[in-house]
Amino acid sequence: MKTFKIFILGSIIAVLAVSFMVTCTDERSGEPVEVFIQKEWGQVDGKKVYLFTLKNEKGDEVKITNYGGIVTSWITADKSGKKSNVVIGYDSLSRYQEKNPYFGAIIGRYANRIGNATFKIDTATYHLAANDGKNSLHGGLKGFDKVVWDASWNDTTNALTLKYVSKDGEEGYPGNLTVTVAYKLTNDNELLIDYTAETDKPTVLNLTNHSYFNLTGDVNNTILDHTLQINADKYTPVDATLIPTGELKEVKGTPFDFLQPHKIGERINDVKGGYDHNFVLNRQGDKPELAATLADSVSGRVLEVYTSQPGMQFYTGNFLDGTNKLSDGKPINIHTALCLETQHFPDSPNKPAFPTTLLKPGEKFHSQTKYKISVK
Ligand code: BGC
């Protein structure tokens, strides 16, 4: 209860444009959690935008805004205790509105690509905006990354809960879809992301978080020296427009074999355009399992990704071209950050053999992803 009251109070104070911080205890786990609600961050579509800071006992700090559900920063220590930000983000709302290659955002209604920007459900054909050549990318012109989510503090789960109702026909998708995304930072430096969704008409759904990581904490360094291991025997090869061919191909003997750790730069030149591919995760059950381990030997930071999703898009920031700059003016150049986007396979609505992304009325979509940072 205490946290909730503090949250309400925080909202009121935030409206008065005053920042404050509180420390309270999660009654279930006993974990001390600090919640900081900054002054309002701005307004979009007539709705208030806030920046929330989640802090844990170890001093890790994750900032999240309800605009696009964006994770704007994750400050964490390296092996010598020096703290820096390991995700790419901006320090103002307007920067996100100007030009954002999905830094840190929640992506939907359909993350990744849908071929020819069309799909069918039964006999009905749905047309989406072709915003990536002839294909649809990341939910269309105004996807879930560009809308204001309703934010609340869940006192039971101790998580920041974001809710968005995507209207029937929005961006061409059928059905009123209610989505919630809960973010929780634990004392083990884990960012838990819990997604749920329900619809009132059959629709397609693919949700992810699009955080760009650089474990060195400095975009002057590329991610080419990071070491990556992916728990996937197969990946989905793509055509020239990055739409899967439909084949599930063995990674063995290809530059996509990350079953053992490899430096990302080791074979990236053997992959046309760089890595931007979905991996078919080896899974045993429905619960979150380890999908990938990313490590930077200089900082000692290790990122583990756990998910209940069937796939993960590994994207090496191939389209970053330096035109996006951090607030200190540093350009975000090609390969200075990478994404490990847990999700369903691209173009699943047009690939009947892929795990289904169809959501029907009466069903409840639920998936979980956990990003865990430690030091070695
Ligand atoms: C896609 C890339 C795309 C990027 C946009 C990734 O999820 O796989 O192809 O360019 O998002 O930032």
Side-chain angles (χ1 to χ4, degrees):
M1 266 330 271
K2 188 178 167 192
T3 331
F4 181 66
K5 281 183 198 143
I6 288 165
F7 183 82
I8 296 292
L9 177 64
S11 305
I12 296 164
I13 295 173
V15 170
L16 299 174
V18 178
S19 304
F20 83 118
M21 187 188 288
V22 293
T23 307
C24 41
T25 305
D26 178 338
E27 283 159 24
R28 277 190 331 166
S29 65
E31 292 173 12
V33 177
E34 287 178 308
V35 184
F36 174 83
I37 304 171
Q38 213 182 33
K39 63 178 181 172
E40 281 181 34
W41 227 34
Q43 204 157 325
V44 177
D45 299 335
K47 293 181 189 152
K48 283 180 177 143
V49 175
Y50 298 94
L51 185 67
F52 302 89
T53 304
L54 309 183
K55 275 195 177 190
N56 70 7
E57 214 175 53
K58 294 212 173 74
D60 263 38
E61 189 185 284
V62 173
K63 286 191 200 274
I64 297 165
T65 171
N66 59 323
Y67 175 72
I70 295 171
V71 175
T72 68
S73 69
W74 184 341
I75 310 276
T76 188
D78 68 8
K79 64 184 175 193
S80 63
K82 185 174 164 271
K83 288 186 178 174
S84 45
N85 181 16
V86 294
V87 296
I88 306 292
Y90 296 135
D91 57 4
S92 76
L93 175 60
S94 57
R95 304 280 312 280
Y96 284 104
Q97 290 178 286
E98 279 157 24
K99 189 171 187 272
N100 176 22
Y102 306 97
F103 291 149
I106 296 167
I107 311 293
R109 190 177 294 201
Y110 197 94
N112 215 314
R113 291 174 173 80
I114 294 185
N116 293 315
T118 56
F119 65 93
K120 271 187 167 183
I121 297 178
D122 299 325
T123 52
T125 302
Y126 296 95
H127 297 279
L128 311 169
N131 60 339
D132 186 65
K134 58 182 183 162
N135 303 321
S136 168
L137 177 68
H138 292 338
L141 300 176
K142 188 173 178 182
F144 293 178
D145 58 298
K146 294 180 189 71
V147 300
V148 180
W149 296 63
D150 294 329
S152 61
W153 181 254
N154 187 318
D155 201 34
T156 316
T157 57
N158 230 5
L160 175 68
T161 305
L162 304 178
K163 181 178 166 190
Y164 179 66
V165 180
S166 169
K167 292 268 161 56
D168 185 12
E170 188 177 303
E171 287 295 330
Y173 293 95
N176 291 297
L177 180 82
T178 304
V179 188
T180 63
V181 177
Y183 283 111
K184 174 175 174 153
L185 177 68
T186 73
N187 282 326
D188 289 328
N189 288 353
E190 301 161 315
L191 182 64
L192 310 180
I193 315 179
D194 187 285
Y195 305 84
T196 64
E198 284 176 281
T199 183
D200 64 0
K201 274 187 195 166
T203 191
V204 294
L205 178 72
N206 192 18
L207 299 171
T208 193
N209 174 278
H210 208 296
S211 287
Y212 285 69
F213 292 92
N214 181 324
L215 296 183
T216 73
D218 183 351
V219 294
N220 282 337
N221 306 314
T222 70
I223 46 75
L224 298 176
D225 280 338
H226 285 36
T227 299
L228 181 65
Q229 183 166 18
I230 305 179
N231 186 18
D233 290 332
K234 294 181 179 159
Y235 76 107
T236 50
V238 287
D239 68 14
T241 70
L242 297 176
I243 295 294
T245 59
E247 186 191 356
L248 304 186
K249 194 171 174 187
E250 294 281 339
V251 295
K252 209 167 171 228
T254 77
F256 299 94
D257 186 349
F258 283 95
L259 286 163
Q260 295 301 317
H262 283 272
K263 278 204 173 168
I264 291 166
E266 188 186 318
R267 301 163 299 175
I268 195 169
N269 292 332
D270 301 335
V271 180
K272 198 161 178 272
Y275 293 101
D276 194 357
H277 294 79
N278 169 64
F279 285 72
V280 179
L281 298 173
N282 298 340
R283 304 193 46 81
Q284 310 296 324
D286 297 337
K287 297 265 176 305
E289 293 172 32
L290 183 64
T293 307
L294 181 73
D296 164 47
S297 60
V298 179
S299 66
R301 292 190 182 101
V302 176
L303 171 74
E304 287 168 321
V305 183
Y306 297 80
T307 190
S308 59
Q309 294 267 35
M312 188 189 73
Q313 184 84 4
F314 168 41
Y315 170 58
T316 41
N318 312 324
F319 299 111
L320 299 175
D321 58 6
T323 54
N324 293 93
K325 295 189 172 50
L326 296 180
S327 48
D328 60 8
K330 277 187 193 168
I332 306 159
N333 288 314
I334 185 166
H335 305 326
T336 52
L338 64 86
C339 303
L340 298 168
E341 302 155 59
T342 58
Q343 55 187 234
H344 270 260
F345 306 171
D347 201 31
S348 296
N350 296 311
K351 299 280 185 308
F354 285 180
T356 186
T357 50
L358 189 67
L359 183 71
K360 295 184 194 143
E363 294 176 348
K364 189 161 185 170
F365 172 87
H366 182 218
S367 81
Q368 290 175 310
T369 289
K370 171 166 97 180
Y371 292 104
K372 178 181 165 89
I373 296 183
S374 56
V375 280
K376 253 195 188 152

